[in-house]
Every structure is written in C-alpha cells, then in structure tokens.
C-alpha cells in the first residue's frame, strides 16, 4: 500500500484525466487483498462487490472510493448480482466502450480493467450537497462496465431494478454541473466532462466558455480539461492564447502546457469514429432494455 499526502491549494492530474482541487489525503493499494469492511460502513452490503477477487486496483481520496476489476462477462455478471442486492434505493450501472486502463498516483503502474465501482464519502460527499454537485459525485454507489475485450453484450445479465446508463447520460449530468454556483463543482465538472467523451465538439466548446470564468481556479481547470481534446481543440488556440494574458502564474503555465499539447496532438479522427461505432452499439443495447 502507498499513502500520498496532497496539498489543498495545488492542482494536478489525479486518478485519470481530472483536474481539480487536490484534497488532503489519498491512498491506493494494488491487487485483490480483502479490504476492511469497517471502512465501507456507509454502504451496507457492498463488500461482496468491493472484495471481488478480480479487483486489480483501489484508491481512496478523502472518503471517495473507487475499485477497478479485470475479468470476463461471467465475472461481471456475478458482480452485478451482488451490486443489485445491496439495500441502496438506486442501483445505476453505466455501459461504456472498453476495455479501459488507469494509472497509479505516481503513474509508475498501469492497470487494465473491465469494470469499476465508485462510492462517494467524506469531503466528496459534502461536495455532492453543493449546487449541482450531485451531478458529479453520485449519492449512491455506481458500477461502470466497459464493453469489449472480455465483456460481451450477448452474455451480459442486467438484474431487475438496475438502471442502465450510457455515455450520453453522464455527459448531460456533467454539462449541467458546468453552471454550478460553486466554483469547486464548476472546476471539477470540466475534467469529468472532458474525460467521459474526449471527442465531443459541443462539450469542448462548453468547457471553453469557462476560460472566461470569474474564478482563476475554474479557468485553470477548464484549460487543463481542454488539453484532453487534442487535435480537435486547435480552433480554440486563439482563446487559449488570450487566456495567457493573466498575472496568475499557475494559470499561465497550465494554459501554455495545454497549447503545447494541442499543437503537438496527432489527428485521432479514426479513433473517434471507432469509438462512436461502439457507442452506437451500446445505445442500441440500452434501447432494447427499455422495451
């Protein structure tokens, strides 16, 4: 296990593509050693999901938990059954193209995974109570399954009572959070929205509007999130160069880094097209569940 102390005032890319306020303490562990049930008392019945033997990685940041698993469709079906059996009022499962991967805090390890479990507690749970905060920090545990590789549609078994979401549903939630009256929610929402769909021109433009936010910290997050769009963000270079006209050195540095990443980014139109084809399959599958 590795423990990492993080300062409140700084910003860095943490636990994926997200930029945001870095809270006080983060912890991670690797492999599938059983985690202590005492740390998960906020979520009764969740331990069979948490301690599934297919877990490859887990992190905790001020009460916000995430577990990552690698396995086949039979394994995820078992996890779904346990997830649906918890006494939560809402059971949401998200389907996204996959498989996926995540880096450790120090980026010295990379983990491929097929599904993940997210639970919000601590400071993150408090943020969910802020204006539009629940659009980012889910009140109930949420399970995300990445279709592809070892996870196949024709074998997937969705338990009764489970609400199935797709990428477009998450995009709508995160986009609503961009207009929050709380600066922390606005800032974090830029990273979430960019991460969930790095090929969306409309989302990119919505994030770019926050380069004019009254709070420099929100501008910094918006600038960092725009780097995720790579070659697609080249039309925003004039706005980014304008954003460099600031006395905030941290913001100026972040914008400069984003400009460099965009200018050097390769054309990913083929990858965008391939992902959209997978999203269309997921949409068709979800539509079939609603019939």
């Amino acid at each position: 296990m590795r423990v990492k102390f993080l300062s409140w005032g700084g910003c860095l890319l943490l636990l994926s593509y997200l930029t945001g306020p870095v809270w006080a303490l983060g912890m991670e562990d690797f492999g599938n050693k059983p985690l202590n049930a005492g740390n998960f008392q906020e979520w009764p019945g969740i331990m069979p999901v948490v301690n599934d033997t297919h877990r490859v990685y887990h992190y905790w940041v001020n009460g916000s938990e995430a577990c990552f698993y690698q396995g086949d469709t039979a394994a995820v079906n078992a996890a779904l059954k346990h997830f649906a059996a918890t006494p939560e009022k809402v059971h949401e499962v998200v389907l996204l193209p996959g498989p996926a991967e995540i880096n450790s805090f120090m980026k010295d390890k990379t983990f491929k995974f097929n599904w993940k479990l997210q639970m919000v507690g601590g400071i993150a749970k408090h943020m969910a109570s802020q204006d539009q905060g629940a659009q980012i920090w889910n009140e109930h545990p949420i399970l995300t399954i990445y279709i592809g590789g070892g996870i196949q549609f024709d074998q997937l078994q969705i338990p009764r009572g489970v609400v199935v979401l797709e990428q477009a549903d998450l995009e709508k939630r995160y986009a609503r959070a961009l207009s929050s009256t709380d600066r922390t929610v606005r800032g974090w929402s830029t990273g979430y929205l960019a991460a969930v769909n790095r090929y969306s021109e409309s989302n990119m433009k919505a994030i770019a509007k926050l380069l004019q936010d009254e709070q420099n910290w929100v501008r910094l997050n918006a600038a960092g999130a725009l780097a995720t769009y790579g070659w697609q963000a080249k039309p925003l270079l004039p706005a980014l160069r304008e954003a460099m006209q600031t006395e905030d050195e941290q913001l100026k540095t972040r914008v400069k880094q984003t400009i460099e990443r965009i200018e050097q980014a390769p054309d990913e139109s083929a990858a965008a097209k391939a992902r959209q084809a997978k999203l269309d399959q997921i949409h068709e599958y979800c539509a079939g569940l609603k019939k």
Side-chain angles (χ1 to χ4, degrees), residues 75-246:
V76 79
N77 282 339
L80 277 167
K81 186 176 180 179
H82 288 305
F83 180 72
T86 64
E88 296 289 338
K89 294 180 180 179
V90 177
H91 298 87
E92 292 184 330
V93 171
V94 183
L95 302 183
L96 294 176
E101 63 180 39
I102 185 171
N103 294 322
S104 60
F105 287 177
M106 298 300 291
K107 296 187 177 182
D108 56 345
K109 298 178 184 293
T110 299
F111 303 92
K112 295 185 183 298
F113 63 95
N114 302 105
W115 72 93
K116 68 179 178 181
L117 173 69
Q118 292 174 289
M119 298 152 286
V120 173
I123 291 176
K125 188 172 183 178
H126 168 71
M127 289 312 307
S129 68
Q130 304 304 302
D131 179 44
Q132 301 297 331
Q135 305 294 336
I136 299 294
W137 295 282
N138 218 48
E139 179 182 358
H140 306 280
I142 187 167
L143 194 71
T144 303
I145 301 172
Y146 294 81
I147 304 298
I151 309 299
Q152 303 301 321
F153 277 131
D154 60 352
Q155 300 173 29
L156 200 59
Q157 298 173 6
I158 305 296
R160 185 183 299 275
V162 167
V163 178
V164 179
L165 306 176
E166 53 187 305
Q167 178 178 284
D169 297 309
L170 297 185
E171 290 182 72
K172 289 176 183 177
R173 292 183 179 184
Y174 302 159
R176 284 194 288 267
L178 291 176
S179 61
S180 171
T181 57
D182 183 274
R183 74 157 196 156
T184 303
V185 176
R186 291 200 307 280
W188 275 84
S189 66
T190 62
Y192 274 83
L193 187 57
V196 75
N197 185 0
R198 60 192 298 261
Y199 300 120
S200 170
E201 183 178 356
S202 60
N203 291 346
M204 180 183 71
K205 290 180 177 179
I207 292 170
K209 291 180 180 179
L210 293 187
L211 290 174
Q212 303 297 322
D213 194 272
E214 61 183 14
Q215 296 282 339
N216 279 349
W217 185 84
V218 176
R219 295 183 189 183
L220 183 147
N221 278 267
L226 289 174
T228 305
Y229 292 95
W231 100 104
Q232 249 187 166
K234 288 183 178 180
L236 297 178
L237 288 174
L240 285 163
R241 293 190 179 102
E242 183 178 344
M244 286 192 68
Q245 307 307 310
T246 175

Side-chain angles (χ1 to χ4, degrees), residues 58-77:
H58 159 259
Y59 71 70
W60 172 94
V61 178
N62 276 50
S64 183
E65 308 261 359
C67 299
F68 301 81
Y69 308 83
Q70 185 176 34
D72 58 16
T73 312
V76 79
N77 282 339

